Amino acid sequence: MWYEIEHIIVTTAKRLFSGDVLLTKHYEDDVKSVLIPKGLINDRTERLARNICRDVSKGPLIGLCVLKGGYQFFGDLMDCIRTINSNGEQSVQMSVDFIRLKSYEDDQSSGEVKIIGSDDLSSLHGKHVLVVEDIVDTGLTMQKLLTTLQKFKPASVKVASLLVKRTPRSTGYRPDYIGFEIPDEFVVGYALDYNEYFRDLNHICVINDNGKKKYAT
Ligand code: 5GP
């Protein structure tokens, strides 16, 4: 019998140390541990793409990428959906759009969400929208974005987030599609940054004090 996995919970015990996988050389001394290796991200992204295609068979769909942190997950997810479209009997027509928000400085939330770049979102009117985000921490950013998106009267809005943090600061918001649930620590890599550094790190890692000091603003 097959069981549907809703999301994968990553615990502290499952962590790999940086010696267990090949780490981008210039960040070797700046991370505490590898939380999610790239191979596992790939497998999970493929599964999420299948679930999304199954749920949105009606289409067409607009994939709305939240920049910058979401770009890697967005690209990989779109690739998986493209592969499913070309292999399956059914296919989901997709277009893409991008939005840029900013809420963090160093590893602290500024408490405000700024939309610092977006296209004309009136194109979302009447469309099925899939928002693709890197991480949901408190959930405030996504709740604010969803309120903004409703002004453009989309037919439906769903959210796919690669990561969700287990944190006491959570507003209780849960995305429709979750890749991994992770501990309450500041993570970098796979396009997630610390002051614009670490986006080029291959795996998702926990930053250490050395990294925080080295790349502080
Ligand atoms: P929230 O509003 O849910 O508290 O925060 C969401 C945003 O904060 C994310 O889109 C991301 O930009 C940033 N963020 C939250 N936690 C982390 C983290 O552990 N690492 C990185 N790089 N960004 C984070």
Side-chain angles (χ1 to χ4, degrees):
M1 183 184 290
W2 287 96
Y3 291 94
E4 188 67 45
I5 299 173
E6 197 197 327
H7 56 267
I8 296 173
I9 298 176
V10 182
T11 62
T12 334
K14 289 230 179 86
R15 248 176 225 188
L16 297 173
F17 289 95
S18 22
D20 297 339
V21 290
L22 217 51
L23 206 61
T24 312
K25 207 147 192 65
H26 50 273
Y27 293 126
E28 261 176 7
D29 299 331
D30 307 323
V31 300
K32 209 185 325 186
S33 58
V34 179
L35 199 60
I36 313 172
K38 176 72 169 71
L40 191 55
I41 300 172
N42 291 348
D43 292 349
R44 185 68 189 134
T45 304
E46 209 181 305
R47 166 53 67 185
L48 289 179
R50 282 186 200 287
N51 292 352
I52 290 164
C53 289
R54 177 198 63 199
D55 295 350
V56 294
S57 52
K58 272 187 278 166
L61 188 69
I62 297 191
L64 185 64
C65 173
V66 182
L67 294 171
K68 293 179 188 175
Y71 84 82
Q72 187 81 59
F73 176 47
F74 184 75
D76 288 345
L77 190 67
M78 293 305 115
D79 265 357
C80 290
I81 293 177
R82 224 184 348 255
T83 306
I84 294 167
N85 276 346
S86 57
N87 292 345
E89 281 173 20
Q90 268 189 326
S91 63
V92 179
Q93 191 181 3
M94 283 210 55
S95 55
V96 296
D97 221 325
F98 299 88
I99 190 165
R100 193 164 165 208
L101 311 169
K102 194 163 170 66
S103 71
Y104 267 64
E105 204 151 274
D106 291 336
D107 58 350
Q108 298 299 310
S109 172
S110 64
E112 266 180 52
V113 178
K114 293 180 206 146
I115 297 181
I116 55 173
S118 75
D119 281 348
D120 179 12
L121 294 178
S122 58
S123 61
L124 304 184
H125 185 92
K127 304 274 173 48
H128 296 286
V129 178
L130 177 71
V131 179
V132 181
E133 170 72 301
D134 53 353
I135 183 164
V136 167
D137 183 354
T138 62
L140 281 169
T141 304
M142 193 48 68
Q143 283 179 321
K144 179 143 183 172
L145 176 59
L146 290 175
T147 306
T148 305
L149 293 182
Q150 285 308 329
K151 293 183 192 149
F152 299 95
K153 300 198 168 30
S156 70
V157 181
K158 293 222 170 175
V159 177
S161 182
L162 178 64
L163 307 174
V164 170
K165 259 189 213 177
R166 280 188 303 279
T167 168
R169 300 180 311 281
S170 169
T171 58
Y173 168 76
R174 304 280 293 174
D176 302 279
Y177 304 96
I178 298 172
F180 302 91
E181 205 175 89
I182 62 163
D184 192 7
E185 293 194 83
F186 199 80
V187 292
V188 291
Y190 191 68
L192 284 107
D193 77 313
Y194 178 80
N195 295 329
E196 296 303 325
Y197 292 93
F198 295 98
R199 293 198 198 275
D200 55 335
L201 176 61
N202 43 357
H203 311 291
I204 293 177
C205 301
V206 179
I207 191 170
N208 65 17
D209 288 342
N210 187 54
K212 283 187 188 173
K213 215 165 117 194
K214 195 154 138 192
Y215 299 112
T217 45

